[in-house]
Amino acid sequence: MSSKVVRRKQKRAQSQKPRASRWCPLLGLSWPGKYVFTSLLALIIGRHVQTRGWGTSLDFLRPIDKDSYWSSHREKVKDSFVISWDAYAKYAWGQDRFHPISKTGSQMSPSGLGWIIVDSLDTLMIMNLTAQLSDARKWLNRDLTYNQDQDVNTFEMTIRMLGGLLSAHYLSNLLPDISSRRDYIYLSRAVDLADRLLGAYDSPSGIPYASVNIGTGKGLPSHADGGASSTAEVTTLQLEMKYLAHLTDKEVYWRKAENVMKVIDDHRMQDGLHPIFVHPDTGHFRYKEIRLGSRGDSYYEYLIKQYLQTSGQEPVYREMWDEALAGIQKHLVTCTKHSKLQFIAELPHGIGGPLSPKMDHLVCFLPGSIVIGATEGLTEKEARNLPGWNSQKEQQMQLARELMKTCWAMYAVTASGLAPEITWFEVDEADMGPSSRSPPMARSNNDKSSWEQDLNIKPLDAHNLQRPETVESLFLMYRVTNDPIYRKWGWEIFKAFKEHMVVKDGEGYTSLQDVTKVPTPQRDNMESFWLTETLKYLYLLFSPREFLPLTEVVFNTEAHVLPRFNQTKFQTGWSRREL
């Protein structure tokens, strides 16, 4: 055999040998060892990602950007809703409150207000739970009456009951699978309730009283705070009343609600930030405290949502939102000492005073409001291609991402994986003085150990009431950015809910006493917003984005779905006072 033939055969034999990884000689690994090494490497990287606060270890190997991956997650959320609802129906049907541990219910009025049933109607529709919806509709038709001698909170009755009825009316026409010949009852009950609530607006200033007697229609001032009403409460009635006016052609609903905005805005407070109490007798603010937590939060939320509700035809609310958001960035945004997590501080003494490093869980509505304000419900990618996109909106999107991470950190650092009612932050004292800092700030890090250094939970603040604000913003952030990290965070939160809130016998979910402990001590109460907000937003987070698109709907502050519409019947009846 010639030497040329021998060389050819040797070359062919060498080409048929498996090629060794370039890494293997460096690591001293045999060919089979490569598989062991790469598997271990994947696990180590995944574990590292998990401990840094970014979710489940091997999700990067799964198609998490596909709706098909999340459909089973959505069904598990639905299962939790059914467990909660069935326990309520079994032990407390028709009652306003449900106590899942003691298996009892209680009323808030002589005949009940439908607190849980009415608040849950649209969730039943969205989840296509037709049998449970039929039971609720029958109860509504046969048992619900507002002809009762009962004082009620104007705000809560509007966002929960009126909002729930209006959302049910809207969805019963939108979703054919859940429609019934009895669906007229939703709008009929809504009109009856709204007429009874109108008395709350009959104050000298037009600012609603904190309460109203639904039997007599008489408005009643608050028993606390010198009779003042909450700023957030009086400015979070507008979506509901204006949609009802649109449906019924009754202008009184529209004018009463929008007049509140005029009275508030006529003060032209510095940088659009308002104190948290306003007196219905005078229309003047009481005290100077400014915060985006309780009594302040939904004023800001409803600015941008009023603009979106009427499809941009009321630009005054866009102007007020832009002004307020710039004020928030200027005066309230600060960061933690170690991880530089950005959060919304409070101004106990108003603008010019020192900041307080405290943030309610309620404030976690803000990332979602920021992104729908920046994109008006479009995806971020779509909005970036529009002529109006600018550096200001880029900064707003970055702020939303940073605040969303902070809200997630409030869950990630606790033993239970659930957030407390209030979080206090470790800060540099220099950052707490009066500030004119301009965004953007430095980005925060993802080191969970530094998060743990920065987040403090006081014993009286450690409870969890099944609140929805974080999952609400996760839903909106995902819809706008299409970033699967928000679905991953939402799933981790849901798993923690499921692990710690299910009562011992499995019949129901309940709120918690202290999220810093495991086992986590339970309270004996299921909030209605667990059904109507928290589980609804989680269900929508894992649903296809085409379902209830943000370009067509707006969610009230109780997660009730209302349509965006072109307003032709009533025009904005006021304009801003010149400075």
Side-chain angles (χ1 to χ4, degrees):
M1 185 181 298
S2 70
S3 60
K4 184 180 292 186
V5 173
V6 170
R7 286 196 301 272
R8 190 182 301 122
K9 287 186 176 182
Q10 289 174 340
K11 186 175 182 180
R12 187 183 302 118
Q14 289 173 352
S15 67
Q16 291 172 350
K17 291 180 181 180
R19 294 181 180 179
S21 166
R22 294 178 181 177
W23 290 13
C24 293
L26 296 174
L27 297 170
L29 295 177
S30 63
W31 171 248
K34 179 183 74 170
Y35 294 103
V36 176
F37 169 74
T38 53
S39 297
L40 287 172
L41 181 63
L43 288 170
I44 291 168
I45 293 173
R47 182 60 181 166
H48 176 71
V49 169
Q50 186 179 29
T51 58
R52 305 285 277 199
W54 292 94
T56 308
S57 57
L58 293 179
D59 276 345
F60 61 88
L61 298 179
R62 302 170 184 151
I64 61 171
D65 58 335
K66 304 296 184 183
D67 286 331
S68 57
Y69 171 75
W70 295 101
S71 60
S72 62
H73 298 67
R74 183 179 68 242
E75 291 306 304
K76 287 182 172 64
V77 174
K78 183 176 179 178
D79 291 343
S80 291
F81 178 93
V82 171
I83 289 170
S84 302
W85 178 268
D86 286 353
Y88 165 72
K90 181 177 180 180
Y91 296 107
W93 182 248
Q95 304 286 299
D96 294 325
R97 304 184 188 94
F98 176 46
H99 311 291
I101 296 175
S102 59
K103 310 301 183 195
T104 60
S106 57
Q107 296 286 33
M108 299 168 62
S109 72
S111 302
L113 299 171
W115 209 249
I116 292 176
I117 294 176
V118 174
D119 216 10
S120 303
L121 287 169
D122 59 353
T123 310
L124 293 169
M125 293 176 172
I126 287 169
M127 294 184 180
N128 199 30
L129 295 168
T130 54
Q132 293 90 335
L133 176 62
S134 178
D135 292 338
R137 190 167 43 226
K138 288 176 184 176
W139 182 89
L140 198 71
N141 190 47
R142 298 172 183 175
D143 298 310
L144 179 62
T145 177
Y146 293 120
N147 188 23
Q148 305 179 54
D149 182 15
Q150 180 65 41
D151 299 344
V152 298
N153 180 277
T154 306
F155 161 76
E156 298 289 0
M157 284 297 288
T158 299
I159 66 165
R160 298 186 192 224
M161 300 298 97
L162 183 59
L165 291 165
L166 291 172
S167 181
H169 169 77
Y170 169 60
L171 291 178
S172 67
N173 289 284
L174 182 71
L175 306 175
D177 291 344
I178 51 87
S179 61
S180 163
R181 59 185 177 85
R182 295 190 181 92
D183 287 343
Y184 67 87
I185 194 68
Y186 305 132
L187 185 56
S188 173
R189 288 286 190 270
V191 170
D192 177 41
L193 176 57
D195 287 344
R196 296 171 184 275
L197 295 174
L198 283 175
Y201 297 81
D202 291 338
S203 70
S205 69
I207 293 292
Y209 290 111
S211 299
V212 61
N213 186 294
I214 54 172
T216 65
K218 180 177 176 57
L220 304 164
S222 172
H223 298 299
D225 306 306
S229 298
S230 157
T231 301
E233 291 187 359
V234 301
T235 55
T236 311
L237 315 168
Q238 286 67 28
L239 294 183
E240 299 80 2
M241 296 295 274
K242 290 164 80 172
Y243 179 46
L244 185 58
H246 176 76
L247 290 172
T248 63
D249 291 336
K250 292 186 178 180
E251 189 172 3
V252 63
Y253 303 137
W254 188 285
R255 298 305 174 204
K256 291 283 189 180
E258 77 165 4
N259 181 60
V260 179
M261 304 306 299
K262 178 184 185 303
V263 175
I264 293 292
D265 191 63
D266 274 352
H267 292 284
R268 297 308 300 265
M269 300 300 291
Q270 183 179 346
D271 295 324
L273 303 181
H274 295 268
I276 60 174
F277 290 104
V278 60
H279 207 290
D281 287 345
T282 63
H284 294 155
F285 290 111
R286 185 177 176 87
Y287 316 123
K288 295 181 178 180
E289 184 174 4
I290 294 171
R291 66 184 186 220
L292 266 70
S294 61
R295 303 191 179 279
D297 49 0
S298 49
Y299 162 72
Y300 303 94
E301 175 189 356
Y302 267 37
L303 291 179
I304 189 59
K305 288 185 175 180
Q306 285 188 78
Y307 172 76
L308 296 175
Q309 181 186 40
T310 52
S311 303
Q313 293 177 312
E314 296 188 282
V316 63
Y317 299 115
R318 159 60 78 180
E319 181 182 336
M320 292 169 69
W321 163 255
D322 288 341
E323 181 181 293
L325 182 54
I328 291 167
Q329 292 173 282
K330 179 179 179 181
H331 297 288
L332 298 178
V333 177
T334 188
C335 64
T336 62
K337 184 174 183 178
H338 303 286
S339 59
K340 304 304 177 184
L341 287 170
Q342 295 182 30
F343 68 96
I344 305 297
E346 297 182 355
L347 285 168
H349 306 290
I351 293 176
L355 290 168
S356 172
K358 163 183 173 286
M359 191 169 101
D360 295 358
H361 185 277
L362 290 166
V363 182
C364 288
F365 83 91
L366 188 58
S369 291
I370 291 174
V371 295
I372 61 171
T375 67
E376 299 190 12
L378 297 171
T379 66
E380 184 178 17
K381 183 178 180 180
E382 292 168 336
R384 285 179 185 277
N385 292 325
L386 297 179
W389 192 264
N390 54 33
S391 60
Q392 181 184 53
K393 291 184 178 181
E394 289 284 359
Q395 291 178 3
Q396 292 171 359
M397 291 297 298
Q398 181 57 31
L399 175 61
R401 287 182 166 92
E402 290 291 336
L403 293 175
M404 191 75 261
K405 187 197 297 185
T406 301
C407 291
W408 161 243
M410 291 161 64
Y411 287 76
V413 300
T414 68
S416 65
L418 292 170
E421 180 74 357
I422 297 170
T423 300
W424 296 78
F425 296 93
E426 192 73 22
V427 295
D428 285 320
E429 287 303 316
D431 292 332
M432 292 292 101
S435 173
S436 58
R437 185 189 305 106
S438 297
M441 302 169 67
R443 295 190 181 188
S444 59
N445 67 49
N446 300 318
D447 181 8
K448 186 178 174 183
S449 63
S450 66
W451 294 359
E452 291 169 345
Q453 288 180 282
D454 281 338
L455 276 65
N456 301 312
I457 302 170
K458 298 182 179 182
L460 292 178
D461 303 331
H463 51 286
N464 183 294
L465 301 181
Q466 306 172 298
R467 287 202 184 277
E469 290 78 20
T470 293
V471 294
E472 170 190 357
S473 280
L474 288 173
F475 159 64
L476 295 171
M477 291 291 294
Y478 173 71
R479 283 286 183 95
V480 168
T481 68
N482 204 34
D483 188 340
I485 192 64
Y486 301 121
R487 278 178 157 175
K488 291 168 65 178
W489 289 349
W491 181 243
E492 294 301 316
I493 291 171
F494 173 72
K495 288 193 297 183
F497 280 142
K498 192 171 182 179
E499 180 178 357
H500 300 292
M501 288 185 175
V502 177
V503 298
K504 187 177 294 185
D505 62 7
E507 291 190 292
Y509 285 69
T510 193
S511 51
L512 302 174
Q513 183 63 34
D514 188 344
V515 297
T516 67
K517 298 177 180 178
V518 174
T520 309
Q522 295 181 332
R523 293 183 169 188
D524 189 13
N525 189 60
M526 181 192 76
E527 296 286 349
S528 72
F529 52 68
W530 166 248
L531 299 176
T532 195
E533 294 189 77
T534 307
L535 290 176
K536 180 190 295 168
Y537 279 129
L538 283 166
Y539 184 84
L540 292 173
L541 174 62
F542 304 133
S543 295
R545 62 189 316 111
E546 296 79 17
F547 184 51
L548 300 178
L550 298 182
T551 52
E552 297 179 11
V553 300
V554 63
F555 292 82
N556 88 336
T557 198
E558 188 74 5
H560 292 309
V561 189
L562 303 175
R564 294 168 65 166
F565 53 85
N566 290 315
Q567 179 51 39
T568 57
K569 298 175 182 177
F570 312 114
Q571 303 302 314
T572 308
W574 69 283
S575 57
R576 305 191 78 183
R577 182 175 63 82
E578 293 187 10
L579 292 174

